[in-house]
Amino acid sequence: MTTDSRPATSGTAGPAGGWRPGSVEALAVLLVLLVAFRSPLAGLVSDPRLQTWTTVFVSVLVQAVPFLVFGVALSAVIAVFVPRSFWAKALPRHPAAAVPAASLAGVVLPGCECGSVPIAGSLIRRGVTPAAALAFLLAAPAINPIVLTATAVAFPGNPEMVVARALASLAIAIAMGWLWLRLGRSEWIRLPHRADDGDGSRSRAFWAACRHDVMHAGGFLVIGAAAAATINVVVPESWLQGLAADPVLSVLALATLAVLLSICSEADAFVAASLSQFSLTSRLVFLVVGPMVDLKLISMQAGMFGRRFAVRFAPATFVTAVLVGTAVGAVIW
């Protein structure tokens, strides 16, 4: 078993060595056709509610896909060509100082949360203190330049959302890292045994990384866009307005929604922007919770670090993210 567990989900070689399209190619063709035939498809649905659903769904995809593709490619470059031992040498030796340093490392390591989980596991294997690796796991998907740029594009009239998201996410990552230093136990983390394999081609590893992240992040983006469109159409406006009017319920509702939708951090800002009924503070909570606690992340963390870890770390992170996000939003707005 190799250190790279990314499945080869793209085109494969045929029986005679020929190339056959795979799931990545099918997804790419579907997205291109959906965008290219947006107008004819909209004309096929006469119901105004269906037209609204199509408009919201396609708009979220069109805005988010460029950031998603660029982020996946850059994340794969760094994951494949930057030696894993570099991070262990670059971080301070003292665990308390390593936590904020590892959190800030997320600025220079763009990528979605799907990639941060295996990278954090690799850091622990290479001798990085678990508190620092976990701080990196939380910070990297939330404060990297691609995510913050996407947030600025999604909220052109509210540039303070970028600052709020960066500050809140960084504070949460550091707080959780220090909390692990205080209360965490080494026996809660059980990494699966994996033998190192240095024989693979870097180019093949790069494309495998891209295929893996595109399929996972792209698939969840489509689901998130569909959910956002459905919420805008199916849920009565009076319900949303009533829920959004309550400052406590609106925060809890969008925090829970972030967990359920499991949207890639490079695309979640566009979904949050579409939920215009809610306050900026509640949408900020949506943006800080999603990259740190969602269904796919909980599953990935359980597989990488063990169930005993996931059942403790995920709820603690959720509570911390809601409290910090709300506090930062209350100060800024």
Side-chain angles (χ1 to χ4, degrees):
M1 191 173 186
T2 64
T3 53
D4 189 354
S5 61
R6 303 174 187 269
T9 55
S10 185
T12 58
W19 178 83
R20 293 184 302 177
S23 52
V24 173
E25 289 75 14
L27 175 62
V29 171
L30 177 61
L31 292 178
V32 170
L33 290 176
L34 186 62
V35 173
F37 295 97
R38 170 176 45 177
S39 298
L41 289 174
L44 293 177
V45 291
S46 57
D47 191 324
R49 292 166 66 88
L50 289 178
Q51 292 181 346
T52 300
W53 189 97
T54 303
T55 300
V56 174
F57 176 73
V58 175
S59 296
V60 171
L61 288 182
V62 170
Q63 293 180 88
V65 164
F67 292 98
L68 177 64
V69 172
F70 181 73
V72 165
L74 190 53
S75 176
V77 168
I78 296 175
V80 172
F81 295 101
V82 175
R84 294 176 180 175
S85 58
F86 167 81
W87 302 107
K89 297 177 181 178
L91 294 175
R93 293 185 177 273
H94 195 285
V99 167
S103 300
L104 290 171
V107 175
V108 296
L109 188 59
C112 71
E113 54 270 29
C114 296
S116 66
V117 174
I119 293 176
S122 297
L123 291 176
I124 295 177
R125 287 192 183 93
R126 298 296 183 180
V128 175
T129 176
L134 296 177
F136 170 84
L137 182 152
L138 297 178
I143 67 171
N144 70 71
I146 296 174
V147 169
L148 297 182
T149 301
T151 304
V153 173
F155 290 88
N158 302 102
E160 65 274 14
M161 180 64 81
V162 179
V163 177
R165 182 174 194 177
L167 291 177
S169 299
L170 185 61
I172 295 164
I174 295 174
M176 288 302 300
W178 284 342
L179 182 64
W180 182 267
L181 281 178
R182 180 74 176 177
L183 303 177
R185 298 180 182 179
S186 57
E187 60 266 24
W188 290 348
I189 295 180
R190 302 190 65 179
L191 295 172
H193 175 72
R194 292 179 180 176
D196 289 334
D197 183 5
D199 299 331
S201 165
R202 286 190 173 185
S203 62
R204 294 180 65 182
F206 169 80
W207 289 113
C210 288
R211 290 194 298 267
H212 173 274
D213 288 348
V214 164
M215 284 306 301
H216 281 72
F220 285 111
L221 169 60
V222 172
I223 295 174
T230 302
I231 290 173
N232 277 273
V233 172
V234 174
V235 179
E237 182 69 19
S238 59
W239 290 14
L240 289 178
Q241 293 292 352
L243 190 61
D246 189 302
V248 176
L249 290 180
S250 62
V251 167
L252 294 178
L254 288 196
T256 303
L257 189 65
V259 176
L260 297 177
L261 293 186
S262 302
I263 307 171
C264 176
S265 61
E266 291 149 353
D268 59 0
F270 300 100
V271 176
S274 70
L275 300 172
S276 56
Q277 302 90 341
F278 292 85
S279 67
L280 289 173
T281 296
S282 59
R283 284 185 279 175
L284 172 63
V285 172
F286 177 89
L287 293 178
V288 298
V289 169
M292 299 183 177
V293 188
D294 62 34
L295 294 180
K296 72 176 186 299
L297 270 179
I298 295 173
S299 175
M300 293 179 67
Q301 290 173 7
M304 176 62 66
F305 304 112
R307 293 182 181 178
R308 296 182 65 188
F309 168 85
V311 298
R312 292 171 172 82
F313 190 74
T317 304
F318 179 83
V319 173
T320 303
V322 171
L323 293 177
V324 173
T326 302
V328 171
V331 171
I332 293 182
W333 293 293

